[in-house]
Amino acid sequence: MMQDSPVPVPALTEPSPPAHRTTRDLTKAAVSGWLGTAMEFMDFQLYSLAAAIVFNKIFFPDVSPAIGLIAAMATYGVGYVARLAGAVYFGRMGDRIGRKKVLVITILLMGGSTTLIGALPTYAAIGILAPSLLVLLRLIQGFGAGAEIAGATVLLAEYAPVRRRGLIASLVSLGTNSGTLAASGLWAILIGVLSEDQLLSWGWRLPFLLSFVLMLFAVWLRRGLKESPVFEERADVVDGVAMTRGEVESTIAEEGEHRVDVLAAGIRQRKGRAFFLALGLRLGQAGNSGLIQTFLVGYIATNLSVGRSVPTDAIVYGSLLGFATVPAVGLLGDRYGRRPVYMAFSLLTAVIAFPVMFLIASGSAAAVMLGMVLGLNVGVLGLFSLESVTMAELFGSRTRFTQLALAKEIGGILTTAIGPVLAASLTAVTGSWWPIAVMLIVYSLITLVSAYLAPETRGRDLVRLEDAV
């Protein structure tokens, strides 16, 4: 009787010396992470503005203006559905074959689909096929974007020197400002210099087509980037590919070295606690962002007697100030630890929620500006800076990419999809602004409790396979 031959197991070699990365390598990684996040937010902002301004007229012209706007916004929303699928698919791939390879693929998907949107025939040229192709490209764009910011965060955190990890990882957050400002600036120029006929016939295509140049630069930069040193040093990575769970268990059964204990810690730990803590940290930032950057812009323009440009101008000024806020908070986290700074910013956001909303509801343009800028920098960008590094440190290297991507996307969907709708319903029922302040407090307290329950992660060895809790 023949016996089954044993399944071959990758050889367990001695741990390699720490991978060396120069200052030039770190600079390339930082620029790559910033640029990819900037592209993600620019692509989505380009589309959201186009959906509100022109897409209802060129892709859905045979319906009423109101229905056309709804249809255009619906195609915007399908991208968020695809993001969750992308988080799962590319997160697992990034943990298996490396961060760099996945980030090249995601930037190609995002940039390529955005460019092709600018080349789409309109409804007048090909009928119903035009909006169908638009939805398809939005799905591809979202599929790539679902892992982009998580991958960039993981790469930068794993590249950064331990003492400056908070500062370096926070640079990913600056990409959100850069992308939003770039997209808004491009559309402002087009609207300012082109007639409506020019904008509808060819002008709307320019921002999408120009993104091709940015994509080429980003791909070139990432292809020349070295793999994350943490990924290369992982005990379960052999010849650039992570062992499967079965291979790890076979190795543990056959070997008796210290490194086996390291491998066992990565697969035998009960998962879940770190993920839910990270999700709680994410809910505060994403929830506050949905209220301040999305809902309040429309609420102010509709309900207050100030110029329609005041809330959007406030977001621009707040984003510009964010270029100082984000790295400053990153430095505070490096000096005092993640937990105390996280708790301080969450508590501060809760404390200023009613004063901020009182300023906004006063109807004074200056007060609205001050309230929006303050809320954006404390409750959104300050927490985003901390989120970038803390969530990466909470997870073990074996599943860091996957868990971080899922926490970000699930947290974003729960808050940015539901939060503005809930806020609109509550303000309509009460006829007042106070429910918005209450929601800001609730989101911030969720993050405060999560930060309190989380361990201090500053200085954690990111090569460890297991989660921090």
Side-chain angles (χ1 to χ4, degrees):
M1 185 174 176
M2 295 181 62
Q3 292 184 334
D4 292 336
S5 8
V7 177
V9 176
L12 187 65
T13 57
E14 288 299 316
S16 57
H20 177 66
R21 294 292 183 267
T22 65
T23 302
R24 185 168 180 267
D25 293 329
L26 178 59
T27 301
K28 288 176 68 176
V31 174
S32 169
W34 163 77
L35 187 60
T37 306
M39 274 196 67
E40 174 186 345
F41 277 79
M42 187 179 80
D43 289 350
F44 271 71
Q45 185 72 1
L46 282 177
Y47 188 93
S48 65
L49 292 171
I53 298 169
V54 298
F55 280 180
N56 59 319
K57 300 172 184 176
I58 60 178
F59 286 107
F60 307 97
D62 285 353
V63 295
S64 69
I67 298 299
L69 181 59
I70 292 171
M73 288 299 177
T75 60
Y76 172 71
V78 299
Y80 283 94
V81 177
R83 289 178 71 103
L84 188 57
V88 175
Y89 182 80
F90 288 117
R92 291 170 64 89
M93 184 186 293
D95 285 325
R96 175 84 170 143
I97 65 172
R99 317 332 189 177
K100 170 195 164 179
K101 295 173 184 176
V102 168
L103 286 173
V104 171
I105 298 171
T106 56
I107 207 79
L108 280 169
L109 288 174
M110 286 167 44
S113 57
T114 301
T115 302
L116 288 174
I117 287 175
L120 276 179
T122 63
Y123 186 92
I126 59 173
I128 193 64
L129 188 58
S132 300
L133 290 173
L134 183 63
V135 170
L136 175 62
L137 291 175
R138 280 291 295 162
L139 287 170
I140 296 172
Q141 188 188 60
F143 190 59
E148 171 59 40
I149 193 168
T153 299
V154 168
L155 185 74
L156 266 190
E158 292 183 346
Y159 246 92
V162 175
R163 296 170 69 96
R164 286 291 176 261
R165 189 183 290 156
L167 172 63
I168 301 299
S170 75
L171 298 179
V172 171
S173 308
L174 291 181
T176 64
N177 291 20
S178 306
T180 300
L181 289 171
S184 301
L186 281 171
W187 271 105
I189 292 171
L190 290 175
I191 292 171
V193 302
L194 298 180
S195 67
E196 184 173 358
D197 287 342
Q198 290 173 323
L199 189 64
L200 291 174
S201 61
W202 55 269
W204 68 271
R205 299 181 183 276
L206 294 180
F208 295 97
L209 296 175
L210 287 173
S211 69
F212 182 71
V213 178
L214 193 60
M215 181 194 72
L216 288 180
F217 177 67
V219 170
W220 170 79
L221 188 66
R222 287 187 173 180
R223 282 180 61 86
L225 191 65
K226 294 178 181 177
E227 181 53 80
S228 154
V230 167
F231 182 82
E232 290 183 350
E233 293 171 33
R234 274 171 49 182
D236 64 334
V237 169
V238 178
D239 296 328
V241 178
M243 290 187 281
T244 65
R245 184 181 183 90
E247 291 170 341
V248 172
E249 289 176 341
S250 297
T251 302
I252 291 171
E254 294 178 7
E255 300 286 342
E257 304 175 11
H258 163 70
R259 196 167 172 217
V260 167
D261 296 332
V262 176
L263 287 169
I267 66 166
R268 292 177 180 170
Q269 180 192 35
R270 294 182 63 183
K271 302 290 184 184
R273 187 176 178 190
F275 177 82
F276 285 108
L277 287 173
L279 185 60
L281 297 177
R282 172 68 171 156
L283 289 178
Q285 186 275 328
N288 294 343
S289 175
L291 291 176
I292 295 171
Q293 293 181 274
T294 302
F295 175 73
L296 276 179
V297 171
Y299 177 84
I300 292 168
T302 304
N303 294 277
L304 303 181
S305 56
V306 296
R308 295 179 67 87
S309 65
V310 170
T312 52
D313 288 346
I315 294 296
V316 171
Y317 297 142
S319 297
L320 289 172
L321 181 60
F323 283 99
T325 300
V326 167
V329 174
L331 284 171
L332 287 174
D334 282 332
R335 179 160 186 177
Y336 299 106
R338 319 300 182 211
R339 287 182 71 246
V341 181
Y342 233 129
M343 291 167 66
F345 268 80
S346 301
L347 183 60
L348 181 58
T349 304
V351 168
I352 67 172
F354 271 93
V356 161
M357 285 308 305
F358 182 79
L359 284 171
I360 292 172
S362 70
S364 162
V368 169
M369 287 274 189
L370 177 60
M372 290 283 283
V373 169
L374 187 60
L376 179 62
N377 277 268
V378 176
V380 179
L381 297 178
L383 292 179
F384 201 1
S385 177
L386 291 164
E387 176 187 297
S388 296
V389 65
T390 309
M391 288 174 67
E393 291 172 332
L394 273 173
F395 300 124
S397 59
R398 184 169 171 83
T399 58
R400 178 172 294 128
F401 199 150
T402 305
Q403 292 199 82
L404 198 152
L406 279 174
K408 278 186 174 291
E409 295 307 318
I410 292 174
I413 290 171
L414 288 175
T415 51
T416 57
I418 298 173
V421 176
L422 179 60
S425 302
L426 291 174
T427 53
V429 169
T430 62
S432 177
W433 52 264
W434 65 261
I436 308 171
V438 171
M439 289 181 68
L440 288 170
I441 291 172
V442 170
Y443 285 139
S444 301
L445 290 181
I446 290 173
T447 292
L448 176 64
V449 171
S450 299
Y452 175 78
L453 295 175
E456 177 55 65
T457 58
R458 179 182 58 165
R460 185 170 189 259
D461 181 5
L462 295 188
V463 180
R464 295 180 64 171
L465 301 181
E466 72 275 17
D467 295 342
V469 288

